[in-house]
């Protein structure tokens, strides 16, 4: 049986990383040498790796939620949330890989050549099929978060409202990309709050361990 404490810890770490990602990430004019320096920086790599780990830990937390309710009538809902979350992350992370390593390589090369001519390649990395997959992935994650909020509300074992911040935070992930750093950090705190509230509820659950 998937241990509830590990799931709760996964959610807390994930939420923390969603705050650190926009807080550490350099923001600049990404069509200039300033953008190249941002792409080439250690902060760029670390911030995006934090985001990748944050996304990766989400289904581990939701799996714990599913196991805490698998003896209830809500088990099909929680199972759907885990599946949608896994699909969403599978479609989202390749884009973050391009952001992390592709743009970092572009930044390093631009600095080496001392020209911003190749910085525009960032738009190529961020467009096309990869962008479509990314958007679909985030929509899957939004669907998973909404199912989580519904499940928590109907569970009778979690505080009804405790899934709402999680649903809001994950569902607003696409719009927050159009905001500046302060709002993106605030959004990270919303995701953090959502993760922590579910983690606290999960930690308090009594999940009996089955003896083999």
């Amino acid at each position: 049986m998937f241990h509830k404490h590990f799931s709760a810890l996964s959610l807390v770490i994930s939420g923390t990383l969603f705050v650190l990602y926009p807080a550490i990430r350099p923001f600049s004019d990404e069509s200039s040498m300033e953008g190249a320096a941002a792409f080439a920086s250690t902060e760029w790599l670390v911030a995006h790796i934090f985001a990748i780990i944050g996304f990766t830990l989400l289904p581990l937390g939701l799996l714990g939620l599913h196991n805490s309710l698998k003896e209830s009538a809500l088990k099909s809902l929680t199972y759907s949330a885990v599946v949608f979350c896994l699909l969403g992350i599978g479609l989202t992370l390749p884009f973050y890989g391009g952001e992390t390593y592709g743009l970092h390589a572009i930044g390093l090369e631009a600095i080496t050549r001392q020209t911003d001519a190749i910085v525009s390649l960032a738009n190529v990395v961020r467009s096309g099929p990869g962008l479509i997959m990314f958007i679909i992935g985030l929509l899957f994650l939004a669907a998973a978060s909404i199912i989580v909020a519904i499940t928590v509300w109907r569970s009778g074992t979690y505080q009804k409202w405790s899934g709402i911040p999680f649903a809001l935070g994950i569902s607003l992930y696409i719009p927050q990309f159009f905001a500046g750093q302060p709002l993106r950090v605030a959004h990270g705190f919303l995701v953090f709050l959502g993760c922590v509230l579910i983690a606290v509820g999960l930690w308090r659950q009594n999940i009996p361990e089955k003896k083999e």
Side-chain angles (χ1 to χ4, degrees):
M1 180 179 287
F2 200 82
H3 202 283
K4 65 181 183 297
H5 290 168
F6 181 74
S7 294
L9 183 61
S10 296
L11 283 172
V12 172
I13 295 173
S14 177
T16 302
L17 294 176
F18 278 116
V19 177
L20 292 176
Y21 161 53
I24 295 174
R25 179 195 188 277
F27 287 82
S28 62
D29 177 3
E30 295 182 352
S31 63
S32 65
M33 287 301 293
E34 183 185 0
F39 293 157
S41 68
T42 301
E43 289 84 356
W44 182 271
L45 276 179
V46 171
H48 285 80
I49 289 171
F50 280 173
I52 290 171
I53 297 172
F55 277 114
T56 302
L57 292 175
L58 277 181
L60 301 181
L62 298 192
L63 187 56
L65 176 68
H66 169 66
N67 278 328
S68 75
L69 297 171
K70 70 178 183 180
E71 303 300 330
S72 73
L74 299 172
K75 63 181 180 181
S76 61
L77 274 178
T78 56
Y79 179 78
S80 297
V82 173
V83 170
F84 282 178
C85 186
L86 287 170
L87 288 172
I89 289 167
L91 293 171
T92 298
L93 289 189
F95 186 88
Y96 268 96
E99 283 269 308
T100 307
Y101 306 111
L103 298 192
H104 184 64
I106 288 172
L108 290 173
E109 187 65 17
I111 289 174
T112 299
R113 297 186 186 185
Q114 282 299 299
T115 175
D116 60 6
I118 63 172
V119 178
S120 61
L121 289 174
N123 294 326
V124 178
V125 175
R126 290 170 163 165
S127 61
L131 178 60
I132 295 172
M133 286 176 57
F134 180 62
I135 293 172
I136 293 173
L138 289 177
L139 290 175
F140 269 121
L141 285 171
S145 70
I146 292 168
I147 293 171
V148 166
I150 293 170
T151 303
V152 169
W153 186 276
R154 295 170 55 187
S155 67
T157 57
Y158 292 83
Q159 289 188 323
K160 281 190 172 184
W161 57 270
S162 61
I164 294 175
F166 181 77
L168 285 174
I170 300 298
S171 296
L172 289 173
Y173 215 89
I174 293 176
Q176 63 92 35
F177 281 116
F178 299 97
Q181 186 174 21
L183 281 178
R184 291 185 66 171
V185 173
H187 172 263
F189 273 108
L190 179 60
V191 176
F192 171 77
L193 175 63
C195 288
V196 168
L197 287 173
I198 295 174
V200 169
L202 182 59
W203 193 277
R204 291 174 176 172
Q205 298 302 305
N206 264 328
I207 306 177
E209 298 289 340
K210 292 183 179 179
K211 294 182 179 179
E212 300 294 336

